[in-house]
Amino acid sequence: MIQFVLLISRQGKVRLTKWYSPYSQKERTKVIRELSGVILSRGPKLCNFVEWRGYKVVCKRYASLYFCMCIDQDDNELEVLEIIHHYVEILDRYFGSVCELDLIFNFHKAYYILDELLIAGELQESSKKTDSLVETAKEQAGSISNIIAQATK
């Protein structure tokens, strides 16, 4: 099971977090601070897996963002690496060529796609044919935008 998902910039700024296990706000802050220090200080040639507090943290850097998922000790790291890659592929398809700014200004869309991909820390949508997922996300975003536009008139 995935415990949590973190997207961290190279500067150490958190761009997205999703928690699937109960952590208090104080614990979350401590986890983010501790893990961002560990991940950002690692060399680029080191492996993508880190053992941390009895868990494994799987990290992959894409452009200026580190995508990290914390998993149980007995989970398959390579499968989680594929989940991260799958999520990045979906984001890339949705945004055209996804960048950090897309996630900053459209974080609700990134959360929506993540929620469609993972439910309660388990993979739900593993199909590489992501067209339907991307189209659904675009329709959902369009309807939310219309609701906001109507409410602000």
Side-chain angles (χ1 to χ4, degrees):
M1 178 180 154
I2 297 171
Q3 303 296 316
F4 54 84
V5 177
L6 295 175
L7 270 64
I8 304 170
S9 72
R10 285 189 310 184
Q11 293 79 27
K13 306 252 187 209
V14 177
R15 298 302 181 201
L16 182 134
T17 60
K18 184 70 176 185
W19 303 87
Y20 297 108
S21 294
Y23 286 90
S24 69
Q25 189 60 43
K26 190 175 181 179
E27 289 173 319
R28 289 179 184 190
T29 305
K30 186 176 179 183
V31 165
I32 291 169
R33 189 177 327 114
E34 191 176 318
L35 271 180
S36 61
V38 169
I39 292 163
L40 294 174
S41 65
R42 291 175 62 83
K45 302 261 184 200
L46 295 176
C47 87
N48 296 325
F49 315 125
V50 177
E51 297 217 2
W52 173 80
R53 289 191 189 178
Y55 294 106
K56 292 181 202 169
V57 178
V58 179
C59 300
K60 180 75 173 149
R61 181 176 167 198
Y62 289 93
S64 64
L65 286 174
Y66 289 91
F67 289 74
C68 306
M69 292 188 181
C70 180
I71 59 173
D72 294 329
Q73 195 68 24
D74 56 342
D75 286 343
N76 187 343
E77 306 93 351
L78 296 177
E79 180 184 5
V80 176
L81 206 54
E82 276 298 311
I83 292 171
I84 292 172
H85 186 71
H86 185 56
Y87 181 52
V88 171
E89 283 180 334
I90 294 170
L91 289 174
D92 203 42
R93 263 188 147 159
Y94 182 80
F95 288 110
S97 178
V98 70
C99 66
E100 188 175 348
L101 288 175
D102 291 326
L103 298 179
I104 292 170
F105 293 115
N106 299 300
F107 63 91
H108 56 284
K109 296 174 186 176
Y111 275 113
Y112 178 80
I113 292 170
L114 184 62
D115 288 341
E116 288 294 314
L117 188 65
L118 300 173
I119 296 177
E122 300 290 339
L123 179 66
Q124 295 303 311
E125 180 58 54
S126 62
S127 172
K128 289 291 182 180
K129 296 180 180 180
T130 57
D131 293 333
S132 63
L133 184 61
V134 170
E135 291 305 316
T136 305
K138 285 184 179 180
E139 289 171 10
Q140 184 73 14
S143 65
I144 290 172
S145 298
N146 290 339
I147 292 170
I148 292 171
Q150 290 174 357
T152 57
K153 285 184 181 179

